[in-house]
Structure formats: structure tokens, C-alpha cells
Amino acid sequence: MSTTLIRNGRLVTASDDYRADILVEGDKIKLIGANLSMQTDRVIDATGKYVIPGGIDCHTHMDLPVGSVSSSDDFETGTIAAAHGGTTTIIDFATQARDGSMHAALDAWLAKAQGRAVIDYGMHMIVTNLPDELLPEMDALVREGVTSFKMFTAYPDRLLLDDGTIFKAMQRAGENGGFVMMHAENGSVIDYLAQKFVDAGKTTPNYHPLSRPHQTEADAAQRVILLSELAGVPVYIVHVSSHLAMEAIRAARDRGLPTFGETCPQYLWLAYEDYADGSFAGAKFVCSPPIRERANQEPLWRALASDDLQTVATDHCPFCFHEGYKGLPKQKELGRDNFKKIPNGVPGVENRMHLVYQGGVVQRGWSMNRFVQVTSTAAAKLFGLFPRKGALAIGSDADIVLWDPHRPYTIRAATHFMRVFYNPYEGVTVDGSPLLVMARGRVIFENDQFLGRKGQGEYLKRGTYAW
Ligand SMILES: [Zn+2]
């Protein structure tokens, strides 16, 4: 078994901050202590670096078919990009076909990932249809390690479930220990508004956010929170973009409900004002829920600091802009004449940790503990991976990042690893970045060089939630 000693680092977890050495044996953390000095295959000097648990991006969409196209990163390119930015675990989504079983969906998504992913991955299940005969599948999936179920109040034509079905699934999850994730936007109101714009000839990308106002997100969030309360199950609202939706989560938490919220770098860093002119370049920023006004950013940052929101994930779902990339089709171009046809999604899996570090620790004075909590530990706990992931502890997987606070990194599409020829954060310079990334005991990135191997990521059977 290979052994590595990481010496002289400053170990930071969600709760601790101290100087110590870590002995890695095989794929696990074997020992943590002061002044360890044993014979190992490699010694890594971490002087002046933070040694933190690898990041967990609990919301990605690799190789996701949307209409006639698929997200441009697959499980190989997407996980290489993730690792470059310090993320060593992703949780992606298997989507049940409307006329299919959930197990068939899981098999299909595992086939996309196996042999490709370079870091470990878990799967959530997107439920799109739930006749009573499929309810036992939910119980089986929880036993088999798919412990979270995502449902939609948006996209009436493809994904939306009626409130009764959402409630039925919530109740079942409450009984079998599953965890419920909700895409909360009022899909039928949005569809009405969007069509009204299109009918009036207002078809440019800036009408995408205008057709999805704050109230449509907050209304759906409030509704699913109340349904989850009635069903007796925790609920996790994915990609909270609006301060109004966040306030619904905060109010529920103040009432003592197990309500949780995730936001994403695009809602913390990007602003509607930057593409309000209607130019087609705005298609790069079309995602759902949409990018909001700049004034909406600060309430979300504050909510992360005060635990009104718990996680930052990316909803990574890249589509190529019109330049195309290495023979990939011009995917966003599909909506040139109608914003409703622009594939929804932005890239981000590579830059999540960069952007939260810069915005949180550097610009807003967060502790490194809070940084680790929102980028890793909270997701590990909520999605049943703790303390295997999200921790630096004896017996934990050796998913370890040496974060150098004095290693500036400028985000550029020309040098990023994501398979998409633009970056929404083009030109942003962050003060600190990962120097070395270890995934289950193997160094897979060092000095921006990929040293890993396709297929070495393993599928994670997850446990049930805790917090
Ligand atoms: Zn998503």
C-alpha cells in the first residue's frame, strides 16, 4: 500500500484549525499527529498551506441530455475540471424517464460515469413520475445508497410533478429515511410569462430572467416547504437564486423546520445588469433559476455566513456558445431567435472553491472553517457521506487539498479544464488556489498538472442524512 506523509500543514476542517501532520496509507487517512516521522513513499511539505478536506459539489449535470443536445462535459472532462479546482467528490443526478423505472435511470447514469470519472461520485434520483407501484423503488434506492430524491415544480412539459405527487413522494421519503430536494420555481406561471414575451417579439436572452421573477421562485419554495412540513420530511431547496426564496427558507428554519438551502457561484458572482442589453452574448448566462440583479448577491452571501443557506454547489451544466469547441455543436445558438430554446445551464464545477474562497474568506472575512463547511462538510452530512468525506479524520478517505492562500489564479476559458469555450467568470483573479489535490490517497493534481487517471473515481453508495 502506498504511503504519504503530509507535513507541517495547517489542518482546517469545519470545526478545527491546528498544525499537524497527516499519514495517508492507501486511500485512507491513517494517522494525524504532531511531528510524525515515519518512512513513507512520499513526503509532501505543506508549510504555509491550508490542508483541507476535498470539496464536494453536490449538484452537477455531466453528460445530461436536454432536448437535442447534451451538457458538454462528460464524467471524465467534468471531474478533471472539478479536481483542478479542489473538488474531489461530485453528486450528479439520474433522471427517471416519464415512462420508466428509477432503477433503469440509475443504471443508465452509472454507465455514463463508470470508467470515466477521475474522482468519486454519487447519484441523486430525479423523480418524474410516481404511480403507486413505483413507491417501493424509493425504499429500495435508499437501501442501495441513493438516498436523495429531487423533484421539480418547474418545466411542466418535461419534469414538473403535481403537488399531490410531490407530497406522496415526500411522505414516502419521510418513512424510508430519504432526503427530498426541490427545484422550486412556479413552472406554469413562468411558461405563461415566457410565451407572452415571445408572442410580443421579445425573444432576446435578457427576457429569460424577466420571465422568471423572484416571486415565482419564492412562491414555489414556500409551497414545498409547507408540503414537507406536512409530510414530516426534511427538504433541501436546490440552487436558491433569489433573496425572497432564501427568506422563505430562513423563516422555516426560524420555526425549527429541517429546511435547507443551496446556492451557486453564478448567483453570488454574476449579475443580470451585465446582460440586460439583450445581446446574444447573454445566452452564456441563461440558467434556471436565472441570474438576478447585483443587489441580490449580498443577501445570499450573508445567508451562507449565518447558516440560513448551507451549501454552495454549482448546478454545473455547460453548453457551448456559438464559437463551438473542438467540434462540439454550437449549443446555445439553438436559442438565437427565441430565448426559450437556449439550453439552460452554466459551467462552474472547476471554479466553485476559487469563487467561494475569494468572495467568502478574502472579501468578507469568513473563517476557513466556514469555507470548508459550505464547500464540503455540509454536503457530506446532508447527503450521507460524512465522515468518509468532508472530514480530515482517522479512517476518512484521503481526499485532501493543499490550499495555498498566496497562489493567485486568474479564471480563463483559455486555460480552464471544462469542455466549454467560455467561462462566466472570465478574468476574475482569486488570491488563493489549490496547489495539490489528493483523491483517495492519489495525487491527481499538482501545480495545475493533471496526474490522475480516467476511471479511478468510484461510485459512492451514500447513507442517510444528518446535520
Ligand atoms: Zn440542476
Side-chain angles (χ1 to χ4, degrees):
M1 233 188 290
S2 80
T3 51
T4 307
L5 189 58
I6 303 172
R7 299 195 58 216
N8 303 320
R10 182 171 161 189
L11 275 57
V12 178
T13 66
S15 56
D16 299 309
D17 183 345
Y18 59 103
R19 285 175 204 287
D21 303 338
I22 298 182
L23 173 66
V24 173
E25 188 178 282
D27 60 2
K28 302 283 186 199
I29 293 175
K30 174 81 171 176
L31 195 59
I32 298 175
N35 306 313
L36 299 182
S37 63
M38 49 273 293
Q39 205 60 39
T40 53
D41 299 323
R42 184 177 174 192
V43 176
I44 295 170
D45 181 18
T47 304
K49 314 292 182 284
Y50 294 113
V51 178
I52 60 174
I56 300 174
D57 190 339
C58 57
H59 189 157
T60 66
H61 299 286
M62 306 301 174
D63 204 356
L64 174 72
V66 177
S68 61
V69 294
S70 288
S71 58
S72 59
D73 269 319
D74 62 19
F75 278 85
E76 180 185 357
T77 61
T79 56
I80 290 173
H84 180 247
T87 290
T88 55
T89 301
I90 60 167
I91 312 180
D92 210 274
F93 293 83
T95 309
Q96 178 200 15
R98 276 240 152 127
D99 57 353
S101 80
M102 292 180 241
H103 279 96
L106 180 61
D107 290 346
W109 256 265
L110 290 180
K112 291 172 190 264
Q114 273 157 3
R116 291 197 183 86
V118 304
I119 57 173
D120 291 352
Y121 54 95
M123 292 287 171
H124 310 287
M125 180 58 60
I126 291 178
V127 182
T128 62
N129 189 21
L130 194 62
D132 286 349
E133 59 268 27
L134 290 188
L135 280 168
E137 267 208 290
M138 289 181 71
D139 309 338
L141 284 166
V142 170
R143 289 193 300 270
E144 294 159 13
V146 179
T147 54
S148 40
F149 300 91
K150 181 186 179 189
M151 294 176 285
F152 288 74
T153 61
Y155 307 115
D157 50 332
R158 296 187 290 123
L159 297 163
L160 177 139
L161 291 177
D162 65 81
D163 290 350
T165 305
I166 288 171
F167 182 71
K168 178 163 75 169
M170 284 177 166
Q171 228 175 25
R172 193 66 167 217
E175 289 161 15
N176 64 28
F179 196 62
V180 172
M181 310 167 77
M182 292 299 311
H183 176 127
E185 285 187 298
N186 188 323
S188 56
V189 171
I190 288 167
D191 276 10
Y192 167 76
L193 289 172
Q195 192 55 46
K196 213 172 147 186
F197 281 129
V198 170
D199 290 347
K202 297 173 173 174
T203 59
T204 48
N206 55 319
Y207 288 101
H208 171 78
L210 295 177
S211 67
R212 312 178 91 90
H214 289 269
Q215 290 84 350
T216 58
E217 186 182 347
D219 159 62
Q222 178 66 16
R223 180 157 33 107
V224 299
I225 288 168
L226 293 173
L227 291 176
S228 73
E229 179 182 20
L230 192 60
V233 68
V235 68
Y236 175 95
I237 315 286
V238 295
H239 49 48
V240 174
S241 78
S242 162
H243 71 98
L244 265 189
M246 178 275 288
E247 284 159 15
I249 294 168
R250 180 165 64 201
R253 292 176 62 81
D254 286 349
R255 285 205 292 126
L257 294 178
T259 304
F260 304 92
E262 160 195 292
T263 189
C264 311
Q266 55 270 34
Y267 307 123
L268 297 165
W269 274 87
L270 304 178
Y272 166 71
E273 288 88 336
D274 296 335
Y275 68 107
D277 65 355
S279 76
F280 191 66
K284 294 176 180 175
F285 306 102
V286 166
C287 56
S288 294
I291 308 298
R292 307 288 183 186
E293 309 77 13
R294 190 163 276 107
N296 184 72
Q297 292 171 359
E298 209 52 40
L300 298 183
W301 282 110
R302 276 202 303 273
L304 284 168
S306 60
D307 212 40
D308 292 321
L309 295 174
Q310 284 68 46
T311 58
V312 180
T314 58
D315 198 10
H316 178 76
C317 194
F319 293 102
C320 291
F321 191 58
H322 62 73
E323 293 98 334
Y325 183 67
K326 290 188 179 171
L328 289 171
K330 300 171 179 179
Q331 299 167 319
K332 292 278 188 184
E333 194 73 12
L334 290 169
R336 164 124 349 231
D337 301 321
N338 180 349
F339 70 88
K340 286 175 68 180
K341 296 183 179 162
I342 299 170
N344 282 204
V346 291
V349 74
E350 183 167 347
N351 303 121
R352 181 182 67 109
M353 306 272 285
H354 296 131
L355 294 164
V356 178
Y357 177 79
Q358 189 67 17
V361 177
V362 176
Q363 296 177 350
R364 290 173 181 80
W366 290 10
S367 67
M368 279 298 287
N369 306 102
R370 190 67 199 160
F371 172 63
V372 171
Q373 171 76 14
V374 305
T375 57
S376 179
T377 308
K381 290 182 177 175
L382 291 170
F383 297 107
L385 293 170
F386 189 82
R388 179 176 174 187
K389 307 289 190 188
L392 296 176
I394 293 168
S396 293
D397 282 357
D399 292 353
I400 299 171
V401 174
L402 265 60
W403 191 276
D404 187 341
H406 307 294
R407 188 171 185 273
Y409 175 77
T410 298
I411 298 173
R412 294 199 188 288
T415 51
H416 76 194
F417 287 81
M418 297 181 287
R419 190 162 63 183
V420 60
F421 199 57
Y422 77 93
N423 191 307
Y425 314 99
E426 185 74 26
V428 171
T429 297
V430 298
D431 293 8
S433 61
L435 175 67
L436 180 146
V437 179
M438 180 182 273
R440 265 189 301 103
R442 298 191 187 105
V443 174
I444 61 170
F445 260 102
E446 191 167 3
N447 285 316
D448 297 322
Q449 292 297 309
F450 178 60
L451 304 171
R453 215 179 54 241
K454 173 181 179 174
Q456 70 192 23
E458 285 181 4
Y459 171 57
L460 298 167
K461 291 186 175 175
R462 295 179 293 113
T464 50
Y465 60 82
W467 54 80

